Amino acid sequence: MGLSLDIAESERKQAIGVKSLLVLSSFVYALTWVFLPLMVNTTLNRDTIQIVYWGLEWQPGFFKHPPLISWVSEVAIRLFGASDAVIYGLSVAVMLSSFGFIHRLARRYLDSMGAALAVVTLPVLGYYSYIVPHFNHNIALNLPWCAAIWFAYLAIEERRGWAWPLLGLALGAGILSKYTILILPLLFLIHVVATPQHRWVLHSPRVWGAVGLCLLVAGPHLYWLVTHGLGPLRYLSSGAGLSDDTFLDRHLVNPAAALLTMAGMCASLMIALVGGLGLPKLQPARWCSKDRFLLLVGLGPAALVTILSAITGGGLRVEWAASFFLPLPILLLRLFYPPPTPWRINRLLAWTSGLMVAMATTYVLIFTGIIADMDEGKWSRFPDRPLAAAAADGWSQVCNTPVPVIIADAWLGGTASFRLRERPRVYSEADSQMAPWLSDEDIRSSGALILWDQALNGRYRDIDHQDAPRPGEPLDWFPGIPALEARFGPITVLPDVTLDYPGPVAQAPVVLGRAVIPPARPCR
């Protein structure tokens, strides 16, 4: 009898309070996704490497993406130093800030514990766990995405006039992060037009002021975009381009497969909710305006891009949906679950903890290359410090000065630049379209170190070239020393260096070709 009373009493107690839960979960999240990649990886993610060397140039745009993430990365590096921990910490900071906006939104729909659970369960999704160390534009978009949803809620649903300029700033920052943000104003417009009590928004001066502020923030980049041949849009088009598949494959099978893939990425959230709170059951109808707003921002982005894919036949990449599902736990808890009892909360936290461990384990398996078919070992276990040593040694054989510029593909050049103390500039593939901040004349004046993979098999090609090589196009960028001498003058060719990958899974070594373009003025 006494034991039964003790068990019943324990089931009435929550394992942890709301504030303690939020603090502890944030601490564990930060600890996991900063230190785990430091232990597993030898170098930064392939996208991050390029973002970091772009930051040296302070450009209003780059041939693939908008510039904000590179600016932020460069500021962080100048403040705290060029280390992997700084970049991982920056990515975690972006995610935790995004969770903060989600928590504020959740408080409008759920009680205090429900709002905390809406945040605590987010890391069980792959989008917000093992992808986080890959600090790229998909991660950077999360913060303006969540901020825009929060400020739009305040501006539209609660008619807070001061929220409109903040919404404009959030959308402007979103455009500087990734163009996917443009989905949100379209959804906001749909919500306003479909809700008679909100149609005043269409003629409000504050709304158009927010539009103007958004364009003011994004203006320098938009001007750059127009004057540089719409480069990021062309790159996006190549990533979502029309394939040679049949009509049914492009317009039906591919969108359905993308939708199923996104659902698969969210399946772990449903596992946690069902395991902790039980089977979902539609709660009594709550279809007021703010519930329609939540439904639209929670499911609308995935639905919209799937419809567009079905109409255009364009492809979808699963990582492009990284921001779409941040409000999803709020929506599910709001629609399908009553406020949970303490023992259900405890059970949900246990399921969430187990799935977070599973996500961390998945990260280790993938990025050590143990799950070999993921092909991530060639990036995460790359011998970056030997590469930097070989680069420094090669330049020193000709000039006793810091390396000024590296000519290489984005991966070899960016990795070497990040590991060298002087952080030389990178002339990507010696292509002025990819690196308009440098010219052949600059290279002849300053000199440069040339690095290339002697395999010439394009193993690092997919950082910058999403499409397969066209007939007659080489697999790799390196045109040969005679072709480079025709552009830059005499070149000193140096001995090759073999770079061996560390374990645990064997990778073919990199035979690194090296050459030096001496500067116009003697450097010794």
Side-chain angles (χ1 to χ4, degrees):
M1 180 67 174
L3 179 60
S4 299
L5 289 174
D6 288 342
I7 294 174
E9 180 65 23
S10 67
E11 288 181 346
R12 287 196 294 268
K13 294 181 179 178
Q14 291 179 190
I16 190 172
V18 173
K19 291 184 179 179
S20 298
L21 175 60
L22 289 170
V23 171
L24 179 62
S25 64
S26 298
F27 176 76
V28 171
Y29 185 83
L31 199 67
T32 301
W33 297 114
V34 171
F35 287 99
L36 185 62
L38 284 174
M39 292 186 291
V40 170
N41 302 335
T42 61
T43 189
L44 295 173
N45 173 258
R46 51 183 163 177
D47 291 333
T48 313
I49 283 292
Q50 189 166 56
I51 286 163
V52 166
Y53 80 72
W54 281 348
L56 292 166
E57 308 302 335
W58 293 102
Q59 298 289 302
F62 301 95
F63 81 100
K64 286 166 58 175
H65 290 296
L68 184 59
I69 189 173
S70 294
W71 297 346
V72 172
S73 298
E74 184 63 17
V75 170
I77 288 171
R78 293 195 181 191
L79 288 175
F80 303 108
S83 73
D84 295 0
V86 169
I87 301 300
Y88 295 141
L90 184 58
S91 188
V92 166
V94 168
M95 291 308 305
L96 289 177
S97 299
S98 304
F99 293 171
F101 281 108
I102 291 299
H103 181 256
R104 295 186 71 86
L105 182 68
R107 290 293 287 120
R108 292 302 199 268
Y109 292 92
L110 306 167
D111 62 16
S112 59
M113 178 52 76
L117 293 175
V119 171
V120 170
T121 54
L122 279 171
V124 307
L125 279 77
Y127 283 123
Y128 315 124
S129 54
Y130 62 78
I131 291 178
V132 170
H134 301 178
F135 189 47
N136 59 24
H137 294 79
N138 298 312
I139 299 295
L141 178 62
N142 288 335
L143 183 51
W145 183 277
C146 294
I149 290 174
W150 169 239
F151 292 129
Y153 175 89
L154 292 176
I156 298 172
E157 294 298 330
E158 298 190 359
R159 300 198 176 196
R160 305 287 184 90
W162 54 265
W164 285 109
L166 295 177
L167 175 59
L169 289 174
L171 292 174
I175 292 172
L176 294 178
S177 299
K178 193 169 184 180
Y179 303 145
T180 311
I181 194 72
L182 296 176
I183 290 172
L184 285 182
L186 177 58
L187 293 176
F188 299 156
L189 180 61
I190 291 172
H191 180 61
V192 165
V193 172
T195 309
Q197 73 235 43
H198 294 327
R199 290 175 188 166
W200 61 269
V201 166
L202 299 175
H203 51 78
S204 169
R206 288 181 175 176
V207 176
W208 294 106
V211 172
L213 191 56
C214 171
L215 295 176
L216 182 65
V217 171
H221 172 68
L222 297 177
Y223 176 79
W224 176 93
L225 184 67
V226 172
T227 56
H228 285 74
L230 306 178
L233 293 177
R234 287 188 284 107
Y235 182 81
L236 174 64
S237 175
S238 70
L242 301 180
S243 66
D244 295 328
D245 295 337
T246 65
F247 180 89
L248 285 179
D249 283 335
R250 287 189 285 109
H251 294 272
L252 182 61
V253 176
N254 290 344
L259 192 60
L260 288 174
T261 302
M262 288 187 282
M265 289 291 284
C266 298
S268 52
L269 175 62
M270 286 306 305
I271 291 172
L273 292 177
V274 171
L277 304 181
L279 293 173
K281 181 180 179 181
L282 190 63
Q283 298 301 295
R286 297 172 173 173
W287 292 108
C288 60
S289 173
K290 73 173 190 177
D291 289 300
R292 289 193 296 272
F293 177 89
L294 181 61
L295 184 66
L296 204 61
V297 298
L299 298 180
L304 184 60
V305 297
T306 303
I307 292 169
L308 289 175
S309 175
I311 293 172
T312 64
L316 285 175
R317 296 193 173 193
V318 64
E319 61 268 23
W320 292 351
S323 301
F324 292 178
F325 303 106
L326 283 156
L328 185 59
I330 309 175
L331 181 64
L332 295 176
L333 291 170
R334 173 79 170 176
L335 294 184
F336 298 110
Y337 292 100
T341 59
W343 75 272
R344 287 186 181 273
I345 291 170
N346 296 342
R347 197 167 67 175
L348 176 58
L349 294 178
W351 274 89
T352 299
S353 300
L355 286 168
M356 288 178 65
V357 171
M359 290 296 173
T361 303
T362 301
Y363 183 88
V364 172
L365 293 175
I366 290 176
F367 292 97
T368 55
I370 293 174
I371 302 180
D373 62 343
M374 297 298 290
D375 197 32
E376 289 295 342
K378 73 177 180 183
W379 312 102
S380 62
R381 304 294 295 166
F382 188 84
D384 57 338
R385 297 190 188 280
L387 169 66
D393 172 72
W395 179 259
S396 69
Q397 294 185 41
V398 177
C399 289
N400 189 24
T401 59
V403 182
V405 178
I406 296 176
I407 297 177
D409 61 62
W411 176 249
L412 291 178
T415 302
S417 172
F418 188 64
R419 291 300 184 218
L420 288 169
R421 183 185 300 273
E422 60 268 30
R423 296 183 64 211
R425 306 170 81 186
V426 179
Y427 194 25
S428 308
E429 302 187 9
D431 187 341
S432 59
Q433 295 293 320
M434 298 168 68
W437 48 84
L438 287 169
S439 66
D440 288 6
E441 183 179 349
D442 294 328
I443 301 302
R444 288 189 289 268
S445 175
S446 68
L449 173 70
I450 308 171
L451 302 174
W452 69 96
D453 179 5
Q454 286 285 25
L456 298 179
N457 60 4
R459 73 176 103 180
Y460 308 122
R461 171 189 175 92
D462 55 334
I463 290 184
D464 284 326
H465 304 281
Q466 301 192 53
D467 53 333
R470 292 183 291 272
E473 183 183 2
L475 281 174
D476 210 6
W477 72 274
F478 183 66
I481 294 298
L484 292 175
E485 284 188 318
R487 291 176 59 182
F488 302 114
I491 293 175
T492 302
V493 180
L494 303 173
D496 294 346
V497 175
T498 299
L499 307 177
D500 293 311
Y501 276 83
V505 176
Q507 293 272 352
V510 178
V511 179
L512 184 69
R514 302 179 299 168
V516 172
I517 302 171
R521 296 181 180 179
C523 55
R524 285 184 183 269

